[in-house]
């Protein structure tokens, strides 16, 4: 009994062997941070896409209104000239009045030609706005695809680290 008492009171205890327990590694948050940054970038790209879409729609509306004005001016010009010729041939207006009508017709023709040029310029700007929209749309699609790939990669990495533990 003495030996047990000595062990309990004054003798050094037997040293325990330290068990190797793997410390829990802190999770790598870099991929989550990257996903967060990418999500913010995706939001910005979506805003830019929406702005580009709005700009393109406004350009198309403006082009449509210009084309309507051009068509109406073209129609009015033709109608005015036909009426002037009819009146002249029916001898209801004088030669001077016909020359005045012809001058009006020439002026209207120039205005119509200018409207046509405006339409062509607006068409060019409209196409450029459409190209900007489709480029922005493609950027959003690419960013979405990257976001999905990164999310899948993060989930697979988490599943691997959980199975190892």
């Amino acid at each position: 009994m003495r030996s047990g008492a000595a062990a309990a009171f004054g003798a050094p205890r037997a040293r325990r062997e330290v068990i190797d327990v793997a410390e829990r590694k802190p999770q790598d948050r870099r991929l989550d941070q990257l996903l967060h940054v990418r999500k913010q970038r995706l939001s910005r790209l979506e805003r830019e896409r929406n702005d580009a879409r709005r700009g393109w729609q406004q350009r198309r509306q403006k082009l449509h209104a210009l084309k309507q004005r051009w068509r109406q001016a073209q129609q009015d010009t033709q109608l005015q000239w036909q009426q002037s010729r009819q009146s002249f041939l029916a001898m209801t207006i004088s030669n001077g009045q016909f020359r005045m009508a012809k001058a009006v017709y020439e002026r209207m023709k120039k205005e119509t030609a200018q409207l046509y040029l405006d339409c062509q310029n607006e068409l060019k700007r409209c196409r450029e706005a459409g190209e900007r929209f489709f480029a922005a749309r493609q950027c959003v699609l690419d960013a979405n695809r990257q976001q999905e790939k990164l999310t899948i990669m993060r989930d697979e990495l988490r599943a691997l680290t959980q199975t190892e533990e």
Side-chain angles (χ1 to χ4, degrees):
M1 187 130 211
R2 197 162 158 92
S3 64
F9 290 117
R13 291 187 175 178
R15 289 191 176 171
R16 291 187 180 169
E17 210 174 295
V18 177
I19 301 172
D20 286 333
V21 177
E23 269 188 48
R24 223 182 134 96
K25 292 181 182 176
Q27 268 192 339
D28 190 4
R29 306 297 296 173
R30 289 180 294 182
L31 199 53
D32 290 330
Q33 291 169 346
L34 178 64
L35 279 167
H36 180 68
V37 169
R38 291 285 189 161
K39 195 171 211 171
Q40 289 175 331
R41 181 175 178 254
L42 181 62
S43 297
R44 180 182 53 83
L45 289 172
E46 286 174 343
R47 273 194 313 276
E48 289 174 3
R49 179 202 57 197
N50 292 339
D51 291 343
R53 178 186 292 137
R54 249 181 266 113
W56 184 39
Q57 287 171 342
Q58 289 170 351
R59 286 284 180 197
R60 287 192 334 234
Q61 288 171 351
K62 189 174 179 181
L63 175 64
H64 181 70
L66 261 174
K67 279 186 353 187
Q68 291 297 101
R69 281 181 44 211
W70 170 66
R71 287 179 183 145
Q72 188 62 46
Q74 198 175 27
Q75 199 173 31
D76 292 346
T77 302
Q78 288 174 351
L79 184 64
Q80 190 273 343
W81 179 242
Q82 286 172 354
Q83 287 175 348
S84 297
R85 279 189 65 211
Q86 252 180 353
S87 298
F88 181 71
L89 293 174
M91 295 188 180
T92 56
I93 60 172
S94 69
N95 201 15
Q97 290 171 325
F98 180 70
R99 273 192 302 243
M100 243 173 56
K102 190 173 181 179
V104 168
Y105 167 70
E106 292 298 326
R107 190 189 77 233
M108 289 175 81
K109 218 163 77 169
K110 285 180 184 175
E111 289 172 0
T112 303
Q114 185 58 48
L115 279 173
Y116 179 75
L117 287 176
D118 292 345
C119 281
Q120 293 304 309
N121 290 334
E122 188 58 37
L123 176 63
K124 184 180 175 187
R125 288 191 291 271
C126 185
R127 285 183 177 155
E128 289 169 355
E131 289 170 7
R132 278 193 301 275
F133 164 69
F134 284 108
R137 180 178 173 266
Q138 190 60 47
C139 284
V140 168
L141 291 174
D142 292 344
N144 267 328
R145 201 170 293 121
Q146 284 181 338
Q147 189 80 1
E148 288 173 15
K149 286 179 184 177
L150 286 173
T151 304
I152 291 170
M153 187 186 305
R154 181 198 59 194
D155 294 344
E156 286 180 3
L157 285 173
R158 281 190 181 159
L160 280 175
T161 55
Q162 287 177 354
T163 56
E164 289 174 1
E165 291 174 2

